[in-house]
Amino acid sequence: MFEDTRYSVSPKDVRTYSNERLREEFLLDNLFVADKLQMVYTHVDRMIIGGFLAVDAETEIADGAAVGTPGFFDAREMGIANLGGTGTVTVDGAVFTVEHRDIVYVGRDTKSVRLASKDPSEPAAFYMNSVPAGYAVPSALIRQADSKPVTMGDEAHANKRTLRMYIHPEVSPSCLLLMGITEPAPGSIWNTEPPHVHERRMEAYVYFNMAPEDRVMHFMGEPKQVRNIVVADRQGILSPAWSIHMGAGTGPYCFVWGMTGENKAYNDVTPVAVKDLL
Protein backbone atom coordinates (compact mmCIF):
# COMPACT_ATOMS: atom_id res chain seq x y z
CA MET A 1 0.00 0.00 0.00
CA PHE A 2 2.76 2.46 0.87
CA GLU A 3 4.96 4.03 -1.79
CA ASP A 4 7.34 5.37 0.83
CA THR A 5 8.02 5.42 4.58
CA ARG A 6 9.37 8.49 6.36
CA TYR A 7 11.02 8.25 9.76
CA SER A 8 11.31 10.81 12.54
CA VAL A 9 14.53 12.80 12.55
CA SER A 10 16.40 14.81 15.16
CA PRO A 11 16.58 18.59 14.68
CA LYS A 12 20.30 18.33 15.52
CA ASP A 13 20.80 16.06 12.51
CA VAL A 14 18.78 18.28 10.20
CA ARG A 15 21.30 21.10 10.74
CA THR A 16 23.79 19.10 8.66
CA TYR A 17 21.44 18.08 5.80
CA SER A 18 22.18 19.01 2.21
CA ASN A 19 19.36 20.45 0.12
CA GLU A 20 18.86 17.03 -1.48
CA ARG A 21 18.64 15.26 1.89
CA LEU A 22 16.23 17.88 3.23
CA ARG A 23 13.91 17.24 0.29
CA GLU A 24 14.21 13.46 0.70
CA GLU A 25 13.07 13.65 4.32
CA PHE A 26 10.37 16.33 4.26
CA LEU A 27 9.05 16.85 0.69
CA LEU A 28 6.25 14.66 -0.69
CA ASP A 29 6.67 15.20 -4.42
CA ASN A 30 4.78 12.28 -5.98
CA LEU A 31 1.34 12.27 -4.39
CA PHE A 32 -0.76 12.53 -7.54
CA VAL A 33 -0.32 9.92 -10.26
CA ALA A 34 -3.24 9.18 -12.60
CA ASP A 35 -5.38 6.29 -11.34
CA LYS A 36 -2.86 5.17 -8.72
CA LEU A 37 -3.34 5.45 -4.98
CA GLN A 38 -0.15 6.99 -3.55
CA MET A 39 0.27 6.58 0.21
CA VAL A 40 3.21 7.60 2.41
CA TYR A 41 3.53 6.21 5.93
CA THR A 42 5.28 8.54 8.35
CA HIS A 43 6.60 7.88 11.84
CA VAL A 44 5.83 11.51 12.64
CA ASP A 45 2.85 10.79 14.92
CA ARG A 46 2.09 7.92 12.48
CA MET A 47 0.25 10.14 10.05
CA ILE A 48 -0.41 8.58 6.64
CA ILE A 49 -0.48 11.05 3.75
CA GLY A 50 -2.04 10.06 0.44
CA GLY A 51 -3.15 11.23 -2.97
CA PHE A 52 -5.38 9.83 -5.69
CA LEU A 53 -5.95 11.44 -9.09
CA ALA A 54 -9.09 9.71 -10.38
CA VAL A 55 -8.94 9.89 -14.20
CA ASP A 56 -10.20 6.60 -15.64
CA ALA A 57 -10.43 4.48 -12.50
CA GLU A 58 -11.64 4.52 -8.94
CA THR A 59 -9.94 3.11 -5.87
CA GLU A 60 -10.93 1.56 -2.56
CA ILE A 61 -9.35 1.89 0.87
CA ALA A 62 -10.42 -1.02 3.03
CA ASP A 63 -7.73 -3.63 3.73
CA GLY A 64 -5.69 -3.01 6.86
CA ALA A 65 -2.80 -5.42 6.37
CA ALA A 66 -0.33 -2.56 5.84
CA VAL A 67 -1.23 -1.02 9.21
CA GLY A 68 -1.50 -4.30 11.11
CA THR A 69 -5.28 -4.45 11.51
CA PRO A 70 -7.97 -6.37 9.57
CA GLY A 71 -9.48 -3.14 8.26
CA PHE A 72 -7.66 0.09 7.43
CA PHE A 73 -9.98 2.14 9.64
CA ASP A 74 -10.14 -0.29 12.60
CA ALA A 75 -7.96 2.12 14.61
CA ARG A 76 -7.72 5.13 12.27
CA GLU A 77 -9.65 8.17 11.06
CA MET A 78 -9.07 10.15 7.86
CA GLY A 79 -9.69 13.51 6.21
CA ILE A 80 -10.06 13.63 2.41
CA ALA A 81 -9.80 17.00 0.64
CA ASN A 82 -10.70 17.40 -3.03
CA LEU A 83 -8.17 19.60 -4.86
CA GLY A 84 -9.58 18.95 -8.34
CA GLY A 85 -12.88 18.53 -10.19
CA THR A 86 -16.09 17.09 -8.76
CA GLY A 87 -15.73 13.62 -7.30
CA THR A 88 -17.47 11.11 -5.07
CA VAL A 89 -16.36 9.63 -1.78
CA THR A 90 -18.39 6.56 -0.82
CA VAL A 91 -18.16 5.64 2.86
CA ASP A 92 -19.72 2.26 3.66
CA GLY A 93 -22.23 2.77 0.85
CA ALA A 94 -23.10 6.40 1.65
CA VAL A 95 -22.16 8.54 -1.37
CA PHE A 96 -20.84 12.06 -0.80
CA THR A 97 -20.53 14.36 -3.83
CA VAL A 98 -17.35 16.31 -3.19
CA GLU A 99 -16.65 19.60 -4.95
CA HIS A 100 -13.39 21.49 -5.21
CA ARG A 101 -12.20 22.43 -1.69
CA ASP A 102 -14.74 20.23 0.12
CA ILE A 103 -13.41 17.82 2.76
CA VAL A 104 -14.82 14.46 3.89
CA TYR A 105 -14.17 13.18 7.40
CA VAL A 106 -14.02 9.37 7.71
CA GLY A 107 -14.44 7.99 11.21
CA ARG A 108 -12.85 5.02 12.92
CA ASP A 109 -14.49 1.60 12.31
CA THR A 110 -15.42 2.47 8.73
CA LYS A 111 -15.22 -0.65 6.55
CA SER A 112 -14.69 0.79 3.07
CA VAL A 113 -13.97 4.08 1.32
CA ARG A 114 -14.20 4.42 -2.47
CA LEU A 115 -12.90 7.42 -4.45
CA ALA A 116 -13.99 8.36 -7.98
CA SER A 117 -14.44 11.31 -10.36
CA LYS A 118 -17.71 12.54 -11.80
CA ASP A 119 -16.08 13.62 -15.08
CA PRO A 120 -12.73 12.11 -16.18
CA SER A 121 -12.00 15.22 -18.26
CA GLU A 122 -11.94 17.21 -14.99
CA PRO A 123 -10.63 14.60 -12.55
CA ALA A 124 -10.99 14.83 -8.82
CA ALA A 125 -7.69 14.99 -6.92
CA PHE A 126 -8.15 13.50 -3.47
CA TYR A 127 -5.62 14.40 -0.76
CA MET A 128 -5.70 12.32 2.42
CA ASN A 129 -4.46 12.58 6.01
CA SER A 130 -5.03 9.53 8.24
CA VAL A 131 -4.07 9.31 11.92
CA PRO A 132 -4.64 6.88 14.79
CA ALA A 133 -8.00 7.33 16.53
CA GLY A 134 -9.03 6.09 19.96
CA TYR A 135 -12.78 6.33 19.41
CA ALA A 136 -15.29 6.56 16.57
CA VAL A 137 -16.87 9.78 15.30
CA PRO A 138 -19.51 9.67 12.52
CA SER A 139 -18.24 10.34 9.00
CA ALA A 140 -19.32 13.64 7.46
CA LEU A 141 -19.02 15.85 4.38
CA ILE A 142 -17.85 19.38 5.19
CA ARG A 143 -18.45 21.71 2.27
CA GLN A 144 -16.42 24.87 1.82
CA ALA A 145 -19.54 26.89 2.63
CA ASP A 146 -19.82 25.04 5.97
CA SER A 147 -16.21 25.66 7.02
CA LYS A 148 -15.33 28.37 9.52
CA PRO A 149 -13.31 31.22 7.94
CA VAL A 150 -10.77 33.16 9.98
CA THR A 151 -9.02 36.15 8.39
CA MET A 152 -5.60 37.14 9.66
CA GLY A 153 -2.58 39.21 8.65
CA ASP A 154 -2.62 42.48 6.74
CA GLU A 155 -1.77 43.88 3.32
CA ALA A 156 1.14 45.95 4.62
CA HIS A 157 3.01 42.76 5.57
CA ALA A 158 1.80 40.84 2.48
CA ASN A 159 0.43 38.13 4.81
CA LYS A 160 -3.33 38.71 4.70
CA ARG A 161 -5.00 35.32 4.37
CA THR A 162 -8.16 33.37 5.09
CA LEU A 163 -7.88 30.16 7.06
CA ARG A 164 -10.86 27.82 6.83
CA MET A 165 -11.45 25.24 9.55
CA TYR A 166 -13.15 22.04 8.35
CA ILE A 167 -12.28 19.12 10.66
CA HIS A 168 -12.20 21.08 13.88
CA PRO A 169 -14.16 21.04 17.18
CA GLU A 170 -15.97 24.24 16.15
CA VAL A 171 -17.11 22.81 12.79
CA SER A 172 -17.01 19.01 12.45
CA PRO A 173 -15.59 16.81 15.23
CA SER A 174 -12.95 14.09 15.11
CA CYS A 175 -10.91 12.06 17.56
CA LEU A 176 -7.50 13.74 17.04
CA LEU A 177 -7.34 14.97 13.44
CA LEU A 178 -7.53 18.66 12.53
CA MET A 179 -7.78 19.72 8.87
CA GLY A 180 -8.43 22.89 6.91
CA ILE A 181 -7.47 25.07 3.96
CA THR A 182 -5.69 28.43 3.86
CA GLU A 183 -5.55 30.91 0.96
CA PRO A 184 -3.54 34.16 0.88
CA ALA A 185 -5.46 37.25 -0.24
CA PRO A 186 -4.70 38.70 -3.69
CA GLY A 187 -1.38 40.51 -3.50
CA SER A 188 -0.27 38.73 -0.34
CA ILE A 189 2.39 36.04 -0.57
CA TRP A 190 3.06 34.86 3.00
CA ASN A 191 1.36 32.17 5.05
CA THR A 192 1.85 31.46 8.78
CA GLU A 193 3.92 34.62 9.12
CA PRO A 194 5.05 35.33 11.75
CA PRO A 195 5.73 31.61 12.32
CA HIS A 196 5.29 29.37 15.32
CA VAL A 197 6.02 25.88 16.58
CA HIS A 198 3.62 23.54 18.35
CA GLU A 199 5.49 21.03 20.47
CA ARG A 200 2.40 18.91 21.09
CA ARG A 201 1.32 18.44 17.46
CA MET A 202 2.87 17.68 14.07
CA GLU A 203 1.54 19.09 10.81
CA ALA A 204 1.47 18.22 7.12
CA TYR A 205 0.67 20.38 4.11
CA VAL A 206 -0.08 20.12 0.44
CA TYR A 207 0.16 23.24 -1.74
CA PHE A 208 -2.29 23.50 -4.65
CA ASN A 209 -4.01 25.81 -7.16
CA MET A 210 -0.58 26.99 -8.30
CA ALA A 211 0.47 27.82 -11.85
CA PRO A 212 3.02 25.36 -13.28
CA GLU A 213 5.75 28.02 -13.31
CA ASP A 214 5.16 29.16 -9.70
CA ARG A 215 6.72 27.86 -6.50
CA VAL A 216 6.27 28.28 -2.76
CA MET A 217 9.39 28.82 -0.67
CA HIS A 218 8.54 26.78 2.42
CA PHE A 219 10.60 27.70 5.48
CA MET A 220 11.21 25.08 8.17
CA GLY A 221 13.68 24.05 10.87
CA GLU A 222 14.55 25.25 14.34
CA PRO A 223 14.04 29.01 14.82
CA LYS A 224 17.81 29.52 14.97
CA GLN A 225 18.50 27.11 12.08
CA VAL A 226 15.98 28.09 9.39
CA ARG A 227 16.04 26.09 6.15
CA ASN A 228 13.87 26.23 3.04
CA ILE A 229 12.34 23.79 0.56
CA VAL A 230 11.08 24.87 -2.87
CA VAL A 231 7.61 23.37 -3.42
CA ALA A 232 5.56 22.99 -6.63
CA ASP A 233 1.84 22.51 -7.22
CA ARG A 234 0.29 19.51 -5.43
CA GLN A 235 3.45 18.70 -3.51
CA GLY A 236 3.35 18.06 0.22
CA ILE A 237 5.50 18.91 3.23
CA LEU A 238 6.02 17.16 6.57
CA SER A 239 6.40 19.51 9.53
CA PRO A 240 7.64 17.97 12.81
CA ALA A 241 6.60 19.49 16.12
CA TRP A 242 10.01 21.13 16.66
CA SER A 243 9.99 22.96 13.31
CA ILE A 244 8.73 26.40 12.38
CA HIS A 245 6.61 26.56 9.24
CA MET A 246 5.84 29.48 6.99
CA GLY A 247 5.89 30.05 3.24
CA ALA A 248 6.00 32.65 0.51
CA GLY A 249 4.69 32.11 -3.01
CA THR A 250 5.79 33.51 -6.37
CA GLY A 251 2.11 33.52 -7.41
CA PRO A 252 -1.35 32.63 -6.05
CA TYR A 253 -1.67 29.38 -4.08
CA CYS A 254 -3.67 27.56 -1.43
CA PHE A 255 -2.70 24.80 0.96
CA VAL A 256 -4.37 22.08 2.98
CA TRP A 257 -3.10 21.73 6.53
CA GLY A 258 -3.58 18.68 8.69
CA MET A 259 -2.51 18.12 12.30
CA THR A 260 -2.53 15.49 15.01
CA GLY A 261 -0.94 15.04 18.42
CA GLU A 262 -1.80 15.48 22.06
CA ASN A 263 -4.79 17.78 21.60
CA LYS A 264 -7.05 19.61 19.15
CA ALA A 265 -6.40 23.07 20.63
CA TYR A 266 -5.60 25.01 17.46
CA ASN A 267 -4.05 27.90 19.40
CA ASP A 268 -1.72 25.67 21.43
CA VAL A 269 1.36 27.15 19.73
CA THR A 270 4.57 28.96 20.65
CA PRO A 271 4.94 32.10 18.50
CA VAL A 272 8.34 32.96 17.08
CA ALA A 273 9.09 36.58 16.16
CA VAL A 274 10.54 37.10 12.70
CA LYS A 275 13.37 39.17 14.20
CA ASP A 276 14.44 36.12 16.22
CA LEU A 277 14.87 33.83 13.19
CA LEU A 278 18.36 32.92 12.02
Side-chain angles (χ1 to χ4, degrees), residues 4-23:
D4 195 5
T5 299
R6 302 291 176 93
Y7 293 90
S8 299
V9 298
S10 166
K12 294 179 181 179
D13 293 335
V14 172
R15 297 174 191 175
T16 68
Y17 284 2
S18 66
N19 186 58
E20 291 76 15
R21 178 70 186 279
L22 201 69
R23 293 173 69 86

Side-chain angles (χ1 to χ4, degrees), residues 35 52-59 115-117:
D35 299 325
F52 182 65
L53 182 61
V55 180
D56 296 315
E58 61 181 57
T59 195
L115 309 174
S117 287

Side-chain angles (χ1 to χ4, degrees), residues 170-190:
E170 297 179 30
V171 181
S172 187
S174 68
C175 178
L176 278 175
L177 179 65
L178 294 168
M179 205 166 181
I181 297 175
T182 297
E183 181 176 17
S188 285
I189 64 170
W190 286 98

Side-chain angles (χ1 to χ4, degrees), residues 98-169:
V98 188
E99 305 291 348
H100 184 64
R101 293 208 229 180
D102 290 347
I103 293 180
V104 174
Y105 170 75
V106 180
R108 175 182 166 141
D109 297 329
T110 293
K111 301 304 180 186
S112 170
V113 170
R114 300 192 69 88
L115 309 174
S117 287
K118 281 283 193 180
D119 182 355
S121 67
E122 296 181 2
F126 297 106
Y127 171 72
M128 292 154 268
N129 288 168
S130 175
V131 303
Y135 58 86
V137 175
S139 300
L141 168 64
I142 310 102
R143 300 193 183 279
Q144 182 179 4
D146 299 325
S147 64
K148 179 181 178 179
V150 179
T151 300
M152 56 189 70
D154 57 69
E155 294 176 357
H157 290 87
N159 66 349
K160 186 176 181 179
R161 59 205 185 273
T162 298
L163 178 152
R164 289 185 173 273
M165 300 173 177
Y166 286 73
I167 301 174
H168 186 279

Side-chain angles (χ1 to χ4, degrees), residues 21-35:
R21 178 70 186 279
L22 201 69
R23 293 173 69 86
E24 286 175 5
E25 296 291 347
F26 298 106
L27 180 68
L28 306 169
D29 61 355
N30 197 34
L31 289 174
F32 294 96
V33 177
D35 299 325

